[in-house]
Amino acid sequence: SLDLPAIPTTDPSWLLVEEGFNLAREHEVESRFTVANGYVGTRGSLAEGTRLSAPGTYVAGVFDVALHPNGIPELVLAPDWTRLRIMVESNELTLEAGEAQEHRRVLDLRQGMLWRQWRHRDPNGRVTRLRFLRLASLADRHALVQSLIITPENYSATLRVESRVEPPVRHEPRPGTERPDLVPGPATPVVPGSDGTSALLVWRTAATNVAIAIGVASRLRADDGDVVPGTTEIGAGRLVEQWEWEARLGSTYRLDRLVTIHTSRDGGRPDEAATVHVKLLVDD
């Protein structure tokens, strides 16, 4: 059967653990479970989001100025590369609907990885087990990884998974504290491998004119080795990858996403760098 591409550290002194789910504490928990490597950092928001989620990714040195009279340079809120949407038939899995029979998040400080275990009963009684992994690589500081394992425990049904790279989530600011916006550039399809869907997206800061390029390659496969075909839609600064298949009772399915981030501050052309980089990661 499939498993995640790594295993957690066994020494509990390296682990920060959050058991259960409390919506009112989510903003605080997201901050504590940030993964970062000195070049890019991402808050520990739940992949499927909540009403109080504030996902955020920041790239070192990428600043801009908000367009109001008292604007000062500040770190740019980069596009959210972590968003997942998981559907069982027509029911979207969320901690705010149904019953979480198990929910645990672990920040592995030794390996720099964020783990999550979630066992969920939806309103129709279907039980799904999910395991997540997220990391910002220290060996390759432009590389990010997200993995998901899904197991339908007591049913067979149509599953649909969507992964997204999308503009930053905007929250209602106090007057005079508006954050600078990113301007989406052209979205260029890239095909780094026959077994994965991928795309390259480019954004640019409005005032400082820094380009941010994100390359993505994803693959979903079953425990029998079959690759589940997916589709990709791009446009308006947003990438949506989607897979839909007939899931079998007790079978396991794993989604792996490789994400690369390059900016014009790194030198050269960030779109070319992100394209080449994601191809190399897939080929490895």
Side-chain angles (χ1 to χ4, degrees), residues 139-260:
D140 182 347
R141 292 178 189 255
H142 295 267
L144 303 158
V145 176
Q146 182 180 46
S147 292
L148 163 67
I149 282 182
I150 306 175
T151 305
E153 291 193 348
N154 67 346
Y155 66 89
S156 296
T158 301
L159 290 186
R160 186 166 81 245
V161 173
E162 289 181 3
S163 71
R164 292 174 176 262
V165 180
E166 56 188 15
V169 175
R170 293 296 174 192
H171 301 276
E172 194 65 33
R174 299 188 307 275
T177 63
E178 294 83 359
R179 298 191 65 89
D181 283 316
L182 289 174
V183 178
T188 307
V190 184
V191 184
S194 60
D195 59 353
T197 58
S198 64
L200 172 74
L201 299 174
V202 180
W203 291 263
R204 191 171 293 277
T205 57
T208 55
N209 201 36
V210 176
I212 301 174
I214 297 184
V216 183
S218 305
R219 182 180 69 174
L220 194 152
R221 60 189 174 96
D223 51 14
D224 61 6
D226 288 346
V227 174
V228 179
T231 61
T232 304
E233 297 179 10
I234 50 179
R238 178 177 283 104
L239 159 71
V240 180
E241 299 172 291
Q242 185 176 109
W243 299 264
E244 183 171 305
W245 74 100
E246 296 302 316
R248 303 180 300 272
L249 168 69
S251 294
T252 299
Y253 305 88
R254 174 171 141 185
L255 171 65
D256 292 310
R257 302 181 69 228
L258 300 173
V259 176
T260 61

Side-chain angles (χ1 to χ4, degrees), residues 3-277:
D3 203 350
L4 290 171
I7 59 174
T9 297
T10 56
D11 184 348
S13 64
W14 285 96
L15 305 178
L16 179 63
V17 181
E18 177 75 15
E19 297 279 2
F21 172 73
N22 182 339
L23 180 62
R25 294 189 60 240
E26 198 56 24
H27 196 273
E28 166 198 343
V29 173
E30 290 178 352
S31 297
R32 295 171 63 201
F33 284 85
T34 294
V35 293
N37 61 11
Y39 178 81
V40 61
T42 297
R43 285 170 54 82
S45 305
L46 297 177
E48 72 279 6
T50 70
R51 285 173 292 157
L52 300 183
S53 288
T57 292
Y58 300 89
V59 183
V62 179
F63 287 82
D64 205 18
V65 180
L67 301 178
H68 59 77
N70 299 316
I72 59 173
E74 57 183 305
L75 274 173
V76 168
L77 187 59
D80 180 14
W81 62 276
T82 66
R83 185 54 54 93
L84 296 176
R85 188 174 183 225
I86 304 156
M87 306 282 289
V88 180
E89 298 293 353
S90 59
N91 292 302
E92 184 172 355
L93 294 187
T94 168
L95 284 165
E96 298 181 72
E99 175 192 359
Q101 299 184 323
E102 175 188 350
H103 192 257
R104 186 173 192 252
R105 281 173 281 186
V106 178
L107 182 60
D108 185 336
L109 295 166
R110 186 170 192 172
Q111 299 187 93
M113 297 180 180
L114 176 61
W115 308 87
R116 180 183 174 203
Q117 299 180 22
W118 179 21
R119 186 169 182 263
H120 196 78
R121 181 186 295 274
D122 71 15
N124 293 314
R126 291 179 291 234
V127 178
T128 308
R129 181 176 293 276
L130 306 102
R131 295 172 60 203
F132 299 77
L133 167 66
R134 184 188 301 173
L135 69 91
S137 174
L138 190 59
D140 182 347
R141 292 178 189 255
H142 295 267
L144 303 158
V145 176
Q146 182 180 46
S147 292
L148 163 67
I149 282 182
I150 306 175
T151 305
E153 291 193 348
N154 67 346
Y155 66 89
S156 296
T158 301
L159 290 186
R160 186 166 81 245
V161 173
E162 289 181 3
S163 71
R164 292 174 176 262
V165 180
E166 56 188 15
V169 175
R170 293 296 174 192
H171 301 276
E172 194 65 33
R174 299 188 307 275
T177 63
E178 294 83 359
R179 298 191 65 89
D181 283 316
L182 289 174
V183 178
T188 307
V190 184
V191 184
S194 60
D195 59 353
T197 58
S198 64
L200 172 74
L201 299 174
V202 180
W203 291 263
R204 191 171 293 277
T205 57
T208 55
N209 201 36
V210 176
I212 301 174
I214 297 184
V216 183
S218 305
R219 182 180 69 174
L220 194 152
R221 60 189 174 96
D223 51 14
D224 61 6
D226 288 346
V227 174
V228 179
T231 61
T232 304
E233 297 179 10
I234 50 179
R238 178 177 283 104
L239 159 71
V240 180
E241 299 172 291
Q242 185 176 109
W243 299 264
E244 183 171 305
W245 74 100
E246 296 302 316
R248 303 180 300 272
L249 168 69
S251 294
T252 299
Y253 305 88
R254 174 171 141 185
L255 171 65
D256 292 310
R257 302 181 69 228
L258 300 173
V259 176
T260 61
I261 298 182
H262 289 260
T263 78
S264 54
R265 295 188 72 254
D266 305 322
R269 291 189 53 180
D271 54 343
E272 292 181 354
T275 300
V276 171
H277 196 170

